[in-house]
Amino acid sequence: MLENIKQLLIPQSRERYGIYPNVLKEVFSQLSRGVQIYIYFTISKLLITLIFFGEALKCELSESHSTATTLILHSIFLLYHEFKYKMELENIEKLNLIQQLLEQQGMNLEQIPDRQTFNKLTMTVKKSIFSQCPDLNRESKFLNFLAQVIIIRFFIMMLDSPFNFNMFEFYQETCDAHLLNVIFIIVLTMFLEFIFLYCLVFVLVIALPLLCCIQIYRKGKQLYSIRKLKRYLESIPPHKYTGLDDTWVKEDKNCCICMQEYAHNESILQLPCSGQHQFHESCVRNWFNISNSCPICRQQLG
């Protein structure tokens, strides 16, 4: 038993997977290193919490003690889960089965692909290991759920505490101050592990509907400005073009919307923009069906 624990704790090199093709050797080694780091991190988290929890037991029992107890249990279950996952990464039969499945899919396992393809392959291998061991999948979901419960519970405890959101000053006045500080740091690291999930929930539940409402508001505001502008333009009398010597036409004798020269007796409308630009009446009215800015200077007229 001790030999097995020692084998799981000591980092393994790529040579351990030397029987496999280059790609799988790199994938298995990367997964093994990731689990190894996470095991060390969880052991450190467990030991620190136990040390400060033992010191805080001298104080009167409080909600921080129950939160620390939950953290300790979560760390123990997490260590068990990670050790079990590490053993699956050492299970030659299952790794051989993964190799056969990938070869049947026609994947080249000798030449290491680009980083994006390699990351996808790593996730595929990890899912394959979890699919071959349903207990790992159930344990992972349970531990994720428990971690989220701990995070939510701790933040509720913060809100209920009379420290006016100045947490560290409040903690320094309590008997189990060090334990609370440690719990805060650990819960913060747990929260960072789930930050992408929370960000996704925030985007789907809050940000996405908010962006839709803002877009609808902007579109409605633009349509209102266009209708208001069109009513204003109806009050401006158009000018009848009389020919090349028409001094009322200040610019070129053509409309920059349709790129056609003004014909005799055509209606020309002058916009109230800073440049007082002129266009065919029909062209500029059609233009303001989709925009409320001058076609030349882009000045907002709504």
Side-chain angles (χ1 to χ4, degrees):
M1 182 66 181
L2 291 175
E3 192 64 30
N4 290 335
I5 294 176
K6 180 181 177 182
Q7 180 182 348
L8 289 171
L9 283 174
I10 297 176
Q12 304 296 332
S13 63
R14 292 178 72 249
E15 284 70 23
R16 180 170 183 81
Y17 301 103
I19 62 173
Y20 297 102
N22 293 332
V23 176
L24 285 184
K25 190 189 300 183
E26 191 64 36
V27 169
F28 294 155
S29 300
Q30 180 169 307
L31 289 173
S32 182
R33 284 193 301 269
V35 176
Q36 203 76 46
I37 293 171
Y38 204 63
I39 286 175
Y40 288 149
F41 173 73
T42 307
I43 291 175
S44 303
K45 184 170 64 176
L46 175 61
L47 291 177
I48 292 171
T49 309
L50 283 171
I51 291 170
F52 286 95
F53 180 70
E55 182 183 345
L57 284 176
K58 303 172 186 175
C59 310
E60 182 181 351
L61 292 180
S62 63
E63 192 172 352
S64 60
H65 291 77
S66 61
T67 305
T69 304
T70 312
L71 273 173
I72 291 169
L73 291 175
H74 178 267
S75 298
I76 293 173
F77 292 147
L78 187 59
L79 273 178
Y80 168 77
H81 172 74
E82 294 300 321
F83 276 130
K84 193 172 177 181
Y85 177 38
K86 186 75 165 56
M87 291 178 67
E88 294 301 326
L89 282 171
E90 308 293 336
N91 191 327
I92 295 178
E93 292 182 2
K94 292 187 177 180
L95 298 185
N96 288 342
L97 182 59
I98 291 174
Q99 179 182 352
Q100 293 174 9
L101 291 173
L102 293 175
E103 287 176 345
Q104 288 175 3
Q105 295 174 8
M107 191 168 295
N108 184 3
L109 300 179
E110 290 296 339
Q111 183 179 0
I112 296 180
D114 58 89
R115 176 53 57 180
Q116 185 177 3
T117 308
F118 181 79
N119 290 336
K120 288 182 180 179
L121 178 60
T122 304
M123 292 304 300
T124 302
V125 171
K126 186 175 181 179
K127 288 178 181 178
S128 300
I129 294 173
F130 273 74
S131 65
Q132 294 177 26
C133 188
D135 291 344
L136 277 178
N137 204 15
R138 286 194 296 268
E139 290 167 9
S140 179
K141 291 180 180 178
F142 168 75
L143 288 168
N144 288 340
F145 173 75
L146 184 58
Q148 294 179 58
V149 170
I150 293 172
I151 293 169
I152 294 171
R153 185 172 179 231
F154 180 75
F155 281 111
I156 291 174
M157 184 182 77
M158 287 172 56
L159 293 174
D160 290 340
S161 300
F163 50 82
N164 297 323
F165 298 99
N166 195 350
M167 183 175 54
F168 290 104
E169 286 187 8
F170 172 76
Y171 285 172
Q172 290 168 2
E173 298 173 359
T174 61
C175 179
D176 52 354
H178 295 304
L179 178 63
L180 285 165
N181 286 330
V182 167
I183 290 175
F184 171 73
I185 294 171
I186 293 175
V187 170
L188 183 62
T189 59
M190 294 171 64
F191 177 75
L192 291 176
E193 293 178 22
F194 290 96
I195 191 69
F196 296 109
L197 174 63
Y198 286 116
C199 285
L200 180 62
V201 172
F202 175 79
V203 168
L204 294 178
V205 176
I206 299 176
L208 191 60
L210 184 61
L211 289 174
C212 291
C213 292
I214 292 174
Q215 190 65 24
I216 292 172
Y217 169 75
R218 288 179 176 175
K219 189 65 177 176
K221 186 177 179 181
Q222 183 184 17
L223 291 175
Y224 173 75
S225 299
I226 290 173
R227 286 196 296 269
K228 183 179 177 182
L229 179 62
K230 290 176 73 174
R231 286 196 297 269
Y232 174 73
L233 291 177
E234 288 174 359
S235 64
I236 302 176
H239 174 79
K240 296 294 183 180
Y241 182 66
T242 57
L244 296 175
D245 57 346
D246 194 335
T247 57
W248 187 83
V249 181
K250 300 184 299 181
E251 300 173 348
D252 295 336
K253 311 300 182 182
N254 61 344
C255 172
C256 73
I257 297 178
C258 65
M259 305 305 292
Q260 299 293 324
E261 291 188 0
Y262 299 133
H264 183 73
N265 213 30
E266 276 189 325
S267 296
I268 301 173
L269 198 64
Q270 180 175 285
L271 296 183
C273 60
S274 57
Q276 296 186 327
H277 298 116
Q278 300 164 337
F279 312 92
H280 282 131
E281 181 185 10
S282 58
C283 292
V284 76
R285 291 194 186 280
N286 289 332
W287 171 266
F288 285 117
N289 286 327
I290 57 173
S291 177
N292 63 342
S293 61
C294 172
I296 295 177
C297 64
R298 299 297 178 183
Q299 179 181 338
Q300 297 290 325
L301 301 176

